[in-house]
Amino acid sequence: MAVVAFFALAGCALRPSAGVSSVQPLVDVQLIGFNDFHGSLEPPSGSNGRVGSVDAGGVENLAAHVARLRSDNPNTIVVSAGDSIGASPLLSGMFHDEPTIEALGAAGLQISTVGNHELDEGWWELYRMQKGSCHPVDGCQDQTPFTGASFEFLSANIILDPQRVDPAALGTSGWRSAAPGPQPLFPAYAIKDIGGVKVGFIGLVLRGASEIVAPPAWKGLTFRPEAEAANEAASALVRQGVRAIVVLIHQGGTQASTGTYDGCEGLSGPIVPIVSQMSDDIDVVVSGHSHQAYNCTLGAKLVTSALSFGRILTDIDLRVDRVTGEVVEKRARNVIVTRDAPKASAVTALIDHYRPYYAALGSRVVGTIAAEITRLPNKAGESALGDVVADAFLEATSDAAGGGAVAAFINSGGVRADLTGVGRAAPNGPREVTYAQVFEVQPFGNRAIVKTLTGDAILRALEQQFDNPGEGRQTILQVSNGVSYSYDLGRSKGQRIDPASFMIAGHPLDSAARYRVVFTDFVWNGGDGFSRLQEGTDPLAGDLDVDVLSAYLRKHSPVVPGPQNRIRRQP
């Protein structure tokens, strides 16, 4: 793939030559894009807060860089490719992400597509994010009204059928429509007049959102094919005289390991075939979901992604013909959101408003760690933190009355951040871990559930992990102590795990035996594509994920990194 040209000077926009008439034949339009912010109001810790060796992120820094970039061109619009909220740290998550909605609006966000994590608390809760009002259960926790997003959500391929929805959800959301029958949850597109030219924006979420969102949260929704919905919306825009068209899509790809954050080395993944099916009327595709950074040209389309957690902004410059409305030139560059720019005072004030409400809970020390424990996977897909979380789930459920678990399996996507600690209990001693840090690792509020599966069902379920890609990597399940096995991706689908190598509770797996095992309710319900787990029987509910990990830290401090020796990849 070709790398899109980018500017050597920060913030340099395409500009017509000096000395021409006041009505320029070409208009310079700037788009500032980001994706997968995930409520990262404070600068993220560990690997989530770095681009290479550069510390990056935090909404105050993001706002400052947005202001700097847009100061070079008044014809600027700020856009998001989704997952601005959901899987958020405590400062945002405990307020149902209202602080992030407000902070991103204050930072200049104007249009966002819907990502899968925007649906975590239900489509009706996302609708409340758009329209405003206090949370139906928790109210307005910061003692001020929540007025909703100042920016606009788009969703061309999310269709809501009111007849399939719980009437209580309709009432809670405040959803209203004069038109009968199924229709887009939010508008399919928006048209903006920027510097005297029309630019159309289309919003899309990945078609497979239903596989990675808990089923109750999307009841009543249908997810249409991305390119099909994009092309229909593009045709509608063209009929209205719009010739400059931008797609914001929550789906992405991955560069080869040699690629840079502003390059396009061997881009692969779902975004590539989707873009190839898109209409030639579409000029730019701002993508996300894979938590990767790239800056590509696919065919005639500019295709970008800005990593995650507010660490990068994509600066896109379009030159639009004022007469035809066509984009005649386009360029992009990915810019690191460094932490050295003057903070945006309005955003700082907003964050400072929320901090006192969460400080007591968030700063509470729950335990210590001997060293930083990361979620970085080894060759087999096993991480040190994944081992620890799986062990915590097993311990929390192994003695449960009514049939405790003998093994735990944790989806890697549910482990969201490194466990770094915030200070030392003594000089050169263990690092203290706060509740806020544990919440950052386990932010979903998923519940530990024990069920019974046969050995054969366990094998068949685990085979699905090799075919369920997530966020740029395979969704290898993290396993507890006493579970081990080897796999070979060169073997046929459904036969990649060597059954003879599989140990559970320290003994060889018996395909006919029945085992009590623990997953989160999200995975039991088919989340991350683990549909075969629905064979589980005799459920027994445990605690929430954040409470499970907190209890484990309290009991075993200082906790050491997991061994990463339970899963083996062959060859």
Side-chain angles (χ1 to χ4, degrees), residues 15-311:
R15 299 183 184 281
S17 303
V20 298
S21 67
S22 59
V23 179
Q24 303 293 350
L26 301 174
V27 178
D28 296 328
V29 173
Q30 180 179 231
L31 311 178
I32 301 173
F34 63 91
N35 51 274
D36 298 276
F37 183 74
H38 289 294
S40 299
L41 299 175
E42 297 179 304
S45 60
S47 59
N48 284 356
R50 293 190 295 270
V51 180
S53 61
V54 179
D55 290 337
V59 73
E60 295 165 278
N61 300 306
L62 183 142
H65 283 270
V66 166
R68 177 181 61 82
L69 289 170
R70 72 188 310 167
S71 69
D72 291 320
N73 187 346
N75 302 323
T76 296
I77 189 162
V78 183
V79 299
S80 167
D83 274 10
S84 294
I85 59 175
S88 302
L90 187 64
L91 179 56
S92 184
M94 74 173 290
F95 302 101
H96 301 280
D97 280 318
E98 292 171 12
T100 293
I101 294 293
E102 294 172 339
L104 291 180
L109 180 60
Q110 293 158 276
I111 300 177
S112 176
T113 192
V114 174
N116 55 284
H117 280 290
E118 262 96 5
L119 299 170
D120 280 349
E121 294 192 45
W123 65 263
W124 51 91
E125 173 66 3
L126 177 59
Y127 205 77
R128 184 182 74 87
M129 292 290 99
Q130 179 74 86
K131 300 298 184 181
S133 76
C134 295
H135 189 271
V137 176
D138 294 331
C140 284
Q141 295 167 275
D142 68 327
Q143 311 305 311
T144 63
F146 175 62
T147 58
S150 60
F151 54 90
E152 183 177 9
F153 282 109
L154 303 177
S155 63
N157 67 328
I158 305 179
I159 305 302
L160 172 65
D161 183 352
Q163 301 303 313
R164 295 170 48 214
V165 173
D166 183 341
L170 285 177
T172 297
S173 70
W175 189 84
R176 297 287 185 274
S177 176
Q183 56 202 278
L185 177 62
F186 293 106
Y189 58 83
I191 301 172
K192 299 294 183 181
D193 188 309
I194 308 175
V197 296
K198 293 180 179 179
V199 180
F201 296 87
I202 300 168
L204 301 166
V205 71
L206 70 154
R207 185 185 185 184
S210 60
E211 298 179 359
I212 51 177
V213 176
W218 56 271
K219 183 179 181 182
L221 301 183
T222 300
F223 301 91
R224 299 180 58 212
E226 303 94 338
E228 177 184 297
N231 293 342
E232 287 182 9
S235 294
L237 288 167
V238 169
R239 289 195 296 271
Q240 296 173 71
V242 180
R243 296 293 185 271
I245 299 177
V246 178
V247 164
L248 311 175
I249 180 172
H250 194 70
Q251 179 59 288
T254 306
Q255 286 195 72
S257 59
T258 53
T260 65
Y261 71 87
D262 196 32
C264 186
E265 194 71 35
L267 186 71
S268 62
I271 194 64
V272 177
I274 290 172
V275 170
S276 71
Q277 297 169 46
M278 286 184 179
S279 164
D280 291 340
D281 293 321
I282 294 167
D283 301 289
V284 178
V285 178
V286 180
S287 66
H289 185 57
S290 60
H291 288 209
Q292 303 294 307
Y294 43 84
N295 181 359
C296 300
T297 297
L298 301 183
K301 295 177 179 61
L302 185 61
V303 182
T304 68
S305 181
L307 206 61
S308 58
F309 309 122
R311 292 174 287 173

Side-chain angles (χ1 to χ4, degrees), residues 289-501:
H289 185 57
S290 60
H291 288 209
Q292 303 294 307
Y294 43 84
N295 181 359
C296 300
T297 297
L298 301 183
K301 295 177 179 61
L302 185 61
V303 182
T304 68
S305 181
L307 206 61
S308 58
F309 309 122
R311 292 174 287 173
I312 282 179
L313 289 170
T314 303
D315 179 12
I316 301 170
D317 290 291
L318 308 178
R319 179 161 283 176
V320 184
D321 187 297
R322 187 182 296 276
V323 176
T324 66
E326 299 280 357
V327 174
V328 298
E329 192 173 348
K330 51 195 172 189
R331 300 178 182 177
R333 63 191 180 106
N334 279 336
V335 180
I336 298 177
V337 177
T338 58
R339 300 180 185 177
D340 54 1
K343 303 292 190 295
S345 58
V347 176
T348 298
L350 192 152
I351 301 307
D352 286 345
H353 165 75
Y354 280 98
R355 282 195 175 107
Y357 293 94
Y358 103 111
L361 175 63
S363 61
R364 177 166 54 86
V365 175
V366 299
T368 63
I369 53 177
E372 180 176 309
I373 309 177
T374 77
R375 62 180 189 137
L376 180 67
N378 60 14
K379 174 186 174 182
E382 181 182 355
S383 73
L385 186 53
D387 288 348
V388 170
V389 173
D391 287 348
F393 270 70
L394 177 59
E395 181 173 285
T397 57
S398 60
D399 294 329
V406 299
F409 302 87
I410 302 298
N411 60 315
S412 56
V415 182
R416 302 297 296 187
D418 300 336
L419 196 58
T420 60
V422 294
R424 297 194 181 278
N428 301 317
R431 296 180 63 85
E432 294 179 331
V433 176
T434 65
Y435 181 82
Q437 278 209 315
V438 177
F439 191 93
E440 189 174 357
V441 173
Q442 299 266 265
F444 292 110
N446 290 329
R447 189 170 295 278
I449 305 289
V450 181
K451 292 186 182 182
T452 299
L453 288 173
T454 65
D456 178 66
I458 292 172
L459 277 177
R460 286 186 287 109
L462 265 62
E463 284 288 347
Q464 289 190 294
Q465 68 190 327
F466 307 115
D467 302 306
N468 297 338
E471 293 186 3
R473 61 186 183 280
Q474 291 169 319
T475 54
I476 299 297
L477 291 165
Q478 307 300 290
V479 300
S480 58
N481 186 33
V483 178
S484 62
Y485 66 90
S486 64
Y487 69 89
D488 184 347
L489 292 178
R491 300 178 65 178
S492 300
K493 181 177 179 179
Q495 300 177 17
R496 289 164 178 154
I497 294 174
D498 177 9
S501 72

Side-chain angles (χ1 to χ4, degrees), residues 486-569:
S486 64
Y487 69 89
D488 184 347
L489 292 178
R491 300 178 65 178
S492 300
K493 181 177 179 179
Q495 300 177 17
R496 289 164 178 154
I497 294 174
D498 177 9
S501 72
F502 205 111
M503 304 288 289
I504 186 166
H507 301 284
L509 183 75
D510 181 345
S511 62
R514 294 168 64 81
Y515 297 93
R516 295 290 282 170
V517 295
V518 59
F519 291 82
T520 64
D521 52 353
F522 168 74
V523 182
W524 279 120
N525 288 329
D528 280 352
F530 288 99
S531 59
R532 289 172 183 164
L533 286 176
Q534 296 181 38
E535 296 178 29
T537 60
D538 305 316
L540 183 65
D543 292 331
L544 297 179
D545 47 14
V546 65
D547 297 327
V548 166
L549 185 54
S550 295
Y552 187 82
L553 285 163
R554 280 193 297 270
K555 183 175 180 179
H556 296 282
S557 290
V559 174
V560 300
Q564 294 182 269
N565 62 359
R566 301 167 184 175
I567 306 173
R568 300 176 300 280
R569 177 176 173 179

